[in-house]
Amino acid sequence: MTRLTADVWVSAYLTRLRLLEIPAFVVTKGDVTAGAVIVKLNTLDGQARAFHRSFDLMTGERTWAMLAEGDEADVDASLTKQRSFDPDLWVIEVEDRAGRHLLDEPGLE
């Protein structure tokens, strides 16, 4: 199975969000080809959630799993820690009061 490069995946993801008028932007640009991606969902009420891709060893499927959740400052601290030991990491911030992130849609795994 062919995998998309990180920059192509990020571009496609941002386009999907933009088509639904969900604001999102790149906070940290990582390695263009193979950087891991974290999506931070900011619900604009002081709360946030961060998601990262996870690989299920039992099924062989890639899914999005919760990395951090709670006060936005705490989630940001978790992301800062992640970036400190992964310089290739991409961080995408999605801002949506309704909590839409689209990561559960087909094609974004």
Side-chain angles (χ1 to χ4, degrees), residues 16-27:
R16 280 193 186 189
L17 292 165
R18 187 171 44 254
L19 290 172
L20 293 175
E21 298 181 359
I22 301 171
F25 52 94
V26 176
V27 174

Side-chain angles (χ1 to χ4, degrees), residues 3-11 31-35 37 53 90:
R3 288 184 42 198
L4 297 176
T5 60
D7 66 329
V8 170
W9 187 92
V10 168
S11 179
D31 182 76
V32 176
T33 56
V37 177
R53 284 192 211 167
W90 289 76

Side-chain angles (χ1 to χ4, degrees), residues 21-60:
E21 298 181 359
I22 301 171
F25 52 94
V26 176
V27 174
T28 304
K29 183 176 180 179
D31 182 76
V32 176
T33 56
V37 177
I38 291 179
V39 175
K40 174 188 167 190
L41 173 63
N42 181 348
T43 52
L44 305 172
D45 61 357
Q47 299 294 301
R49 289 180 279 169
F51 301 90
H52 68 109
R53 284 192 211 167
S54 179
F55 186 76
D56 186 330
L57 294 174
M58 298 299 287
T59 65

Side-chain angles (χ1 to χ4, degrees), residues 41-102:
L41 173 63
N42 181 348
T43 52
L44 305 172
D45 61 357
Q47 299 294 301
R49 289 180 279 169
F51 301 90
H52 68 109
R53 284 192 211 167
S54 179
F55 186 76
D56 186 330
L57 294 174
M58 298 299 287
T59 65
E61 293 185 22
R62 294 171 57 107
T63 59
W64 287 94
M66 185 88 61
L67 176 67
E69 179 177 28
D71 290 333
E72 184 179 8
D74 293 339
V75 172
D76 286 341
S78 177
L79 297 179
T80 298
K81 184 177 179 181
Q82 291 291 321
R83 285 196 312 262
S84 74
F85 55 79
D86 186 356
D88 297 331
L89 183 67
W90 289 76
V91 178
I92 309 303
E93 182 161 343
V94 177
E95 296 180 340
D96 188 65
R97 290 185 192 282
R100 298 174 298 165
H101 50 66
L102 309 182

